[in-house]
Amino acid sequence: MLRVLTLAILVCLLAGPLLAQTSTGRHRRTAVEEEPLPTEATETTSKRWYFMPGAGLMTSGDLARIRTTGGGDQTWQPPGGIPFASDDFVLTLDESIALAVTVGRRLGSHFSLRLDLSAAQLPMAALARVGELAGVFRWDELAVVMLGLTTEYRFMQEPSYLYVLAGGTATQVSGNLSDDYDQTRPGLRFGGGFHQHLGSDWGLRLEIRDTVQMLEFADYRPPVPEGAPYPGVQVEDLGPQHMVEILISLHGSF
């Protein structure tokens, strides 16, 4: 009896640790590190260059005021219009269709550098005092070509965004029927617009910009009819001139 009892105790002592290690079928789940989701490549890292053809309107204002110094009306012969008699008139510009193209490079998430080229043919008119009345007489057309190097700043990192721009320009003007006012002048440009994302690499832009330069007409002598004596003339520059453009452009990245 004592042997059986001793054997039972030994069996219990040996079997206890083995039973304690027996799996119950339940396992603690080990923590698995989740891999971060791949982030989409931003526009600034994927494609840094962009190209924008566009069209819209260009307009400006007064160029110069011409007055006779001897008193009395003088007959003038516009290069592209009919003669009129006046002792005081202003040469001014009207609006016309403008064409533009831009090549730009992004310099970061908010800034980009742009090279802008735009051109227009602006009607040139004389606002004249004729007796007690005022009249508008066609004078010429002024071909305007502007080349600008500007910096653009976008306000937000969204597909569609507002932006502003500023920079320097060179403005070349020339008459279609006369070369007496042909010149090239430096200028400053300011503006802004809205970029509407169209998907993929495309966008549509509405941009308004103002280019300020001082065109010089102090040495200009408006023509008179052939054979007529030339009167004493005082020419007053009315600058600086503002070349305002309202453009719609297609924006493509590459």
Side-chain angles (χ1 to χ4, degrees), residues 36-114:
L37 295 176
T39 57
E40 295 183 359
T42 63
E43 186 182 24
T44 58
T45 58
S46 59
K47 296 184 178 180
R48 291 186 174 273
W49 291 92
Y50 58 89
F51 177 75
M52 295 193 307
L57 290 177
M58 183 188 297
T59 187
S60 188
D62 297 339
L63 297 173
R65 184 175 185 179
I66 293 96
R67 287 176 287 188
T68 59
T69 58
D73 289 345
Q74 170 65 40
T75 301
W76 305 102
Q77 179 64 64
I82 61 174
F84 65 93
S86 175
D87 65 346
D88 187 352
F89 68 95
V90 172
L91 292 178
T92 189
L93 296 174
D94 205 349
E95 72 275 359
S96 185
I97 296 174
L99 300 177
V101 64
T102 293
V103 176
R105 178 175 173 81
R106 297 179 184 85
L107 303 179
S109 58
H110 289 276
F111 286 95
S112 63
L113 190 64
R114 301 171 28 164

Side-chain angles (χ1 to χ4, degrees), residues 66 68 74-86 89 91 124 126 138-140 177-181 217 219-231 233 235:
I66 293 96
T68 59
Q74 170 65 40
T75 301
W76 305 102
Q77 179 64 64
I82 61 174
F84 65 93
S86 175
F89 68 95
L91 292 178
M124 194 174 178
R138 183 176 183 269
W139 192 267
D140 198 349
L177 299 174
S178 173
D179 58 3
D180 291 339
Y181 24 77
F217 286 83
D219 296 331
Y220 177 55
R221 293 295 178 262
V224 298
E226 185 177 357
Y230 203 86
V233 175
V235 180

Side-chain angles (χ1 to χ4, degrees), residues 66-214:
I66 293 96
R67 287 176 287 188
T68 59
T69 58
D73 289 345
Q74 170 65 40
T75 301
W76 305 102
Q77 179 64 64
I82 61 174
F84 65 93
S86 175
D87 65 346
D88 187 352
F89 68 95
V90 172
L91 292 178
T92 189
L93 296 174
D94 205 349
E95 72 275 359
S96 185
I97 296 174
L99 300 177
V101 64
T102 293
V103 176
R105 178 175 173 81
R106 297 179 184 85
L107 303 179
S109 58
H110 289 276
F111 286 95
S112 63
L113 190 64
R114 301 171 28 164
L115 186 65
D116 306 309
L117 178 66
S118 56
Q121 298 273 356
L122 300 183
M124 194 174 178
L127 307 179
R129 186 177 64 187
V130 182
E132 299 298 324
L133 303 175
V136 180
F137 300 90
R138 183 176 183 269
W139 192 267
D140 198 349
E141 280 191 338
L142 196 69
V144 180
V145 178
M146 294 187 291
L147 181 65
L149 183 64
T150 58
T151 300
E152 178 183 308
Y153 175 81
R154 60 188 290 178
F155 285 108
M156 59 198 78
Q157 280 295 94
E158 299 291 339
S160 299
Y161 54 88
L162 293 167
Y163 64 92
V164 293
L165 58 90
T169 61
T171 301
Q172 182 185 59
V173 299
S174 57
N176 285 349
L177 299 174
S178 173
D179 58 3
D180 291 339
Y181 24 77
D182 295 1
Q183 55 190 289
T184 301
R185 293 287 180 262
L188 295 175
R189 173 170 291 172
F190 307 93
F194 178 74
H195 177 101
Q196 175 61 52
H197 185 59
L198 299 180
S200 185
D201 300 324
W202 299 98
L204 191 66
R205 286 192 170 193
L206 173 63
E207 182 170 297
I208 301 175
R209 62 196 190 198
D210 183 11
T211 305
V212 185
Q213 59 276 297
M214 185 71 183

